[in-house]
Amino acid sequence: MKIAIASGKGGTGKTTLSTNLASLIAESTAVVLTDLDVEEPNSGLFLDGKLIHHEDKFKMIPEWNKTNCTLCGKCQEVCNFNAVMKLGEMILVFPELCHGCYACSELCPENSLPMIPKKMGELKHFKLPNLDFIESKLIIGEEQAVPLIGQTIKYIDDRFTETEFKIFDSPPGTSCPVIEATKDADLILLVTEPTPFGLHDLQLAVETMKELKKAYGVIINRFGIGDTKIEQYCVENNIPIIAKIPNSRKIAELYSAGKLLYNELPEVKIELEKVIKFIQKYQEEIV
Amino acid sequence: MKEIVVISGKGGTGKTSVTASLAFLGGSDLIVADCDVDAADMHLLMKPVNSKKESFFSGVIAKIDQDKCINCGKCADICRWNAIPVIDEKYVVQPLDCEGCGYCALVCPVQAISMNEQNVGEWIISDVRTNTKMVHARLGIGAENSGKLVAKVKNEAKALSDKLGKKFIVVDGSPGIGCPVVSSLSGANLVVLVTEPSVSGIHDVKRVYELVKKFGIKAGCIINKADINLDKVKEIYNFLETENIELISEIPYNENFTKAMTMGKTIVEFDPDGIGEIIKKSWEKIKELAR
Amino acid sequence: MKILLTAKGTEWDSQMDPRFGRTEFFFIYNDETEKVETFDNRAIENEAHGAGPKTAQKMAEFGVNVLITGNGPGGNADTVVRQTGTKVFVGAGSMTVKEAYDAYKKGDLKEA
């Protein structure tokens, strides 16, 4: 079963939940956690695993071969992303802008733009007891997160067919990377905080999940700090509130040092157990 | 006129709360621009009214004219995103999967495919309670926050600022390290980095600063929640020193930030003598740095 | 020698546009013929991505020797600008075109 952890707003505690939840599940069941926030992956900062595999991830981009090129400029003309440009007697390719559609390459009358692999990021696979952790990181300047997210999900799909729980830490927001990261998930856990910003961004996230026709529930982080409007909103819209992780300075301190919470804070562990129960119950329902 | 852009890399460091406070302090001296259009929250504190909205179009997606289509399937063959499945014996483009490359339209032998601009949201100019105007945007679901939209918001803010003779534009910058941030940074006079002394806060601010460096823009840094981890604060000091970034201020961990937000206020209004005082000093320093 | 200044208008007293990729106008001064040429680059607003390299390509078509702007071209645009051998001077973002040109002449602008 695939569980995606998402939120409209950044900084609500997605990574905190992902890492703590995965680690707690791993105490009894094998679990794989994947950080799909490839622009700013952070989960790895909280998990001290052994690196067992490391691979570069590539996308296909055109490379100019000047031998037969007649400088006709067709490549530049067909590119919708300004990624190929004729400059004087040269053809320049901007790898970060290229979406890999192959149009310039395949429509070139002289086959002067063969597609070659170009590194866009790297994937690392770490091993902890009962827990596999995978993260991908985009090269700075690379503009498209979606292909790397897609390839990372494929890495999981190919290798973890038997693993019961697959948790995905998604990027924030409601734009394409989030859709790519959540579209295959069976269940989405939306993390929010009880503040006006949290509520506003949760509403956006909920709309996205509705559009994707996904099952979802809400986890309120920093519970007790703001107001009760999130709870009202969830009740009015029949959205299950799965758990409420309390607000405390101690949590902020542990987080800042890259430490997991539930061993030191039983009140957090209780809430994480509620999340696990919710997942198990959902799993029974869909089977 | 000076343009000040506030960014953080990581979410939840207090970027928007700080930006709104600066906007409050600057009052009618400035124009406010919210370029964090993925999760635009600044309006919750600035309370925009009299909004003028305009639709925003960005990117194209393919559409097949079924009357012209001869079902040859060439489009589906070349599509790298498998965005043109056969549904009820017809080739149909799936908008959420279409990348907008236009290759299909080029190979279609009967010109049945058109590439159409998408309405991805709207951009808005409003009056705000700090006796000035704010430019912001709302993005549709699954739409991409592009450099174009951020540039649009900033352009409008600049035009307004010129017209009204303002001294500053204060921009709530985009998250992450992609195209929108690049666009947020373009043309800025000063970047204010809002970070927190946590492993992830430091990791992300370093990554986003790599971009700032490419543009050669002067930067200052506000450390929020500065008392939660003194070792990490030292790490930030080292980073600032190495990169020659000015430390603007340090704000202690304080739940008044949230309390203020809950009341729809900025922290300078809610806690004028405590945190508010630190931010007032920060604003003075920022103005000096931007000069 | 042709000098390109990124500008918000087409006059000597127009404000500079601090942006390179999304600059509104090119103000091109030929200091040998003392002639001014301008180019309206505002269509660049329609590009979601890759505005920088596209503007740089346009600049190359004018065959300029020196570029004066605010923050300097970003990565991709910079690649193009370097290819053309154009010298880049930055830090003129909040001046007028005239002030920027004078500052360049006096050697007050930083070469990037």
Side-chain angles (χ1 to χ4, degrees):
Chain A
M1 167 148 137
K2 288 183 174 175
I3 303 141
I5 297 180
S7 75
K9 180 182 177 316
T12 57
K14 270 190 315 300
T15 300
T16 306
L17 180 70
S18 312
T19 49
N20 280 280
L21 184 65
S23 302
L24 184 58
I25 292 176
E27 289 184 358
S28 55
T29 320
V31 58
V32 44
L33 170 65
T34 310
D35 194 341
L36 294 178
D37 187 1
V38 299
E39 283 190 50
E40 302 279 21
N42 284 150
S43 293
L45 301 169
F46 298 84
L47 298 168
D48 192 16
K50 185 171 169 274
L51 182 67
I52 58 163
H53 180 72
H54 176 199
E55 64 185 52
D56 289 339
K57 283 292 177 193
F58 299 91
K59 63 178 189 180
M60 298 303 284
I61 61 154
E63 184 182 57
W64 184 48
N65 179 345
K66 66 191 271 188
T67 319
N68 294 323
C69 178
T70 59
L71 296 166
C72 71
K74 178 98 180 166
C75 47
Q76 166 178 307
E77 197 183 298
V78 301
C79 180
N80 263 0
F81 306 110
N82 294 325
V84 192
M85 173 180 292
K86 188 181 136 194
L87 188 75
E89 306 212 328
M90 294 179 71
I91 302 293
L92 295 180
V93 175
F94 303 109
E96 298 90 353
L97 295 174
C98 175
H99 288 223
C101 75
Y102 285 65
C104 62
S105 181
E106 292 176 359
L107 296 174
C108 172
E110 306 295 338
N111 293 319
S112 294
L113 283 163
M115 298 296 281
I116 56 151
K118 158 86 169 66
K119 185 176 167 184
M120 64 172 160
E122 46 194 60
L123 177 149
K124 286 181 179 162
H125 183 162
F126 299 89
K127 188 85 191 144
L128 290 86
N130 239 353
L131 171 65
D132 286 88
F133 168 64
I134 289 97
E135 75 161 22
S136 286
K137 192 182 271 191
L138 203 62
I139 292 175
I140 293 175
E142 191 65 50
E143 293 199 347
Q144 299 147 64
V146 170
L148 184 55
I149 293 171
Q151 286 192 29
T152 309
I153 294 174
K154 187 167 184 306
Y155 182 91
I156 307 300
D157 287 347
D158 291 349
R159 281 166 189 78
F160 297 96
T161 45
E162 300 298 315
T163 310
E164 185 79 47
F165 295 110
K166 288 173 245 191
I167 300 176
F168 296 88
D169 188 358
S170 308
T174 55
S175 59
C176 345
V178 188
I179 301 217
E180 183 72 19
T182 53
K183 70 181 185 191
D184 291 335
D186 301 297
L187 175 66
I188 320 259
L189 307 178
L190 297 173
V191 188
T192 187
E193 52 182 39
T195 65
F197 289 5
L199 174 61
H200 176 255
D201 297 337
L202 175 67
Q203 289 167 335
L204 296 177
V206 164
E207 279 177 49
T208 311
M209 292 311 130
K210 279 186 186 158
E211 179 113 357
L212 292 171
K213 300 189 176 62
K214 291 289 174 191
Y216 57 92
V218 165
I219 293 161
I220 304 178
N221 193 16
R222 302 183 73 212
F223 182 73
I225 193 167
D227 52 27
T228 56
K229 293 204 176 97
I230 290 264
E231 289 156 274
Q232 281 170 24
Y233 167 77
C234 290
V235 170
E236 280 163 19
N237 290 279
N238 278 321
I239 301 167
I241 297 174
I242 305 165
K244 298 169 183 174
I245 299 170
N247 178 56
S248 87
R249 187 187 161 109
K250 180 80 186 157
I251 291 178
E253 286 173 3
L254 288 168
Y255 173 86
S256 76
K259 288 187 183 144
L260 293 175
L261 308 176
Y262 63 87
N263 285 327
E264 295 187 41
L265 301 168
E267 64 272 31
V268 173
K269 192 168 179 178
I270 292 170
E271 297 302 315
L272 291 172
E273 280 162 352
K274 286 185 194 164
V275 179
I276 297 173
K277 266 205 192 102
F278 182 88
I279 294 169
Q280 285 166 337
K281 192 162 159 270
Y282 179 78
Q283 197 179 19
E284 282 161 22
E285 276 170 21
I286 54 170
V287 169
Chain B
M1 185 258 299
K2 302 287 177 187
E3 187 180 321
I4 299 156
V5 179
V6 186
I7 53 170
S8 62
K10 180 187 175 322
T13 62
K15 170 175 70 72
T16 303
S17 290
V18 167
T19 314
S21 297
L22 300 181
F24 180 82
L25 291 169
S28 61
D29 276 354
L30 52 78
I31 295 286
V32 189
D34 188 354
C35 287
D36 187 356
V37 296
D38 277 25
D41 283 331
M42 199 133 91
H43 63 278
L44 298 169
L45 298 180
M46 302 307 293
K47 314 251 171 74
V49 290
N50 298 329
S51 299
K52 282 190 207 90
K53 299 175 184 179
E54 238 175 88
S55 294
F56 183 76
F57 294 85
S58 178
V60 288
I61 50 170
K63 188 168 189 287
I64 300 177
D65 181 344
Q66 297 298 344
D67 294 336
K68 287 191 192 159
C69 177
I70 53 168
N71 278 334
C72 71
K74 278 201 177 121
C75 53
D77 286 348
I78 57 90
C79 179
R80 251 75 197 181
W81 293 276
N82 301 319
I84 317 183
V86 179
I87 298 171
D88 294 335
E89 296 177 12
K90 281 183 177 143
Y91 287 93
V92 182
V93 178
Q94 300 299 298
L96 273 182
D97 292 329
C98 175
E99 190 82 5
C101 69
Y103 192 4
C104 56
L106 292 168
V107 299
C108 176
V110 292
Q111 282 85 48
I113 305 180
S114 56
M115 301 302 295
N116 302 295
E117 281 224 298
Q118 293 183 87
N119 181 347
V120 293
E122 56 192 11
W123 61 273
I124 308 157
I125 294 183
S126 310
D127 293 333
V128 286
R129 65 196 179 87
T130 50
N131 200 14
T132 187
K133 287 182 186 288
M134 167 167 165
V135 186
H136 45 134
R138 193 170 2 215
L139 207 58
I141 287 163
E144 177 195 34
N145 176 9
S146 64
K148 186 179 168 184
L149 180 53
V150 171
K152 182 81 198 167
V153 169
K154 286 199 14 173
N155 275 352
E156 292 300 327
K158 269 191 195 133
L160 264 179
S161 175
D162 285 343
K163 198 173 96 186
L164 303 172
K166 303 289 184 190
K167 290 188 199 147
F168 303 98
I169 298 174
V170 170
V171 181
D172 192 4
S174 314
I177 58 164
C179 184
V181 200
V182 172
S183 218
S184 303
L185 293 174
S186 170
N189 298 95
L190 179 71
V191 168
V192 176
L193 304 161
V194 179
T195 188
E196 60 177 36
S198 68
V199 283
S200 45
I202 294 174
H203 174 264
D204 292 355
V205 82
K206 282 183 178 168
R207 260 169 88 78
V208 79
Y209 186 68
E210 286 300 307
L211 269 184
V212 176
K213 262 209 296 206
K214 281 190 182 171
F215 283 93
I217 307 169
K218 184 151 66 159
C221 179
I222 295 177
I223 308 176
N224 194 8
K225 309 176 198 171
D227 53 346
I228 53 167
N229 191 324
L230 297 178
D231 289 339
K232 296 289 163 200
V233 170
K234 277 185 201 140
E235 225 180 294
I236 298 179
Y237 289 161
N238 288 339
F239 162 68
L240 298 183
E241 199 171 318
T242 316
E243 300 288 355
N244 212 355
I245 303 168
E246 189 95 11
L247 175 64
I248 297 169
S249 57
E250 294 178 55
I251 302 171
Y253 177 88
N254 193 309
E255 295 183 355
N256 280 345
F257 267 102
T258 312
K259 286 182 187 139
M261 193 199 291
T262 306
M263 297 173 71
K265 285 185 173 168
T266 63
I267 184 88
V268 255
E269 295 163 90
F270 183 82
D271 183 12
D273 303 323
I275 305 289
E277 194 53 40
I278 301 175
I279 297 192
K280 270 179 222 160
K281 284 190 182 134
S282 310
W283 174 232
E284 293 308 318
K285 198 152 183 186
I286 287 167
K287 285 196 280 190
E288 217 166 277
L289 285 174
R291 226 162 255 153
Chain C
M1 195 166 66
K2 273 188 168 179
I3 299 149
L4 188 154
L5 299 107
T6 57
K8 293 216 160 264
T10 55
E11 306 294 331
W12 278 106
D13 60 1
S14 299
Q15 277 297 314
M16 289 287 287
D17 195 325
R19 304 167 302 170
F20 174 72
R22 293 185 186 274
T23 184
E24 292 182 20
F25 293 91
F26 290 171
F27 184 100
I28 302 163
Y29 179 60
N30 187 329
D31 63 1
E32 283 143 28
T33 62
E34 297 188 358
K35 276 199 178 124
V36 171
E37 233 182 316
T38 59
F39 172 73
D40 186 343
N41 193 47
R42 284 177 293 184
I44 202 72
E45 200 185 315
N46 294 322
E47 303 294 333
H49 304 270
K54 202 159 181 183
T55 296
Q57 182 185 33
K58 202 41 141 185
M59 182 196 82
E61 285 172 19
F62 284 97
V64 304
N65 311 89
V66 171
L67 164 68
I68 300 174
T69 183
N71 293 333
N76 287 324
D78 196 53
T79 309
V80 180
V81 174
R82 301 288 163 198
Q83 284 288 350
T84 62
T86 308
K87 286 191 172 173
V88 183
F89 291 86
V90 296
S94 38
M95 303 177 183
T96 65
V97 172
K98 182 80 175 81
E99 287 164 357
Y101 177 73
D102 291 344
Y104 157 72
K105 274 294 184 194
K106 271 198 272 171
D108 286 349
L109 296 180
K110 206 175 104 194
E111 182 162 3

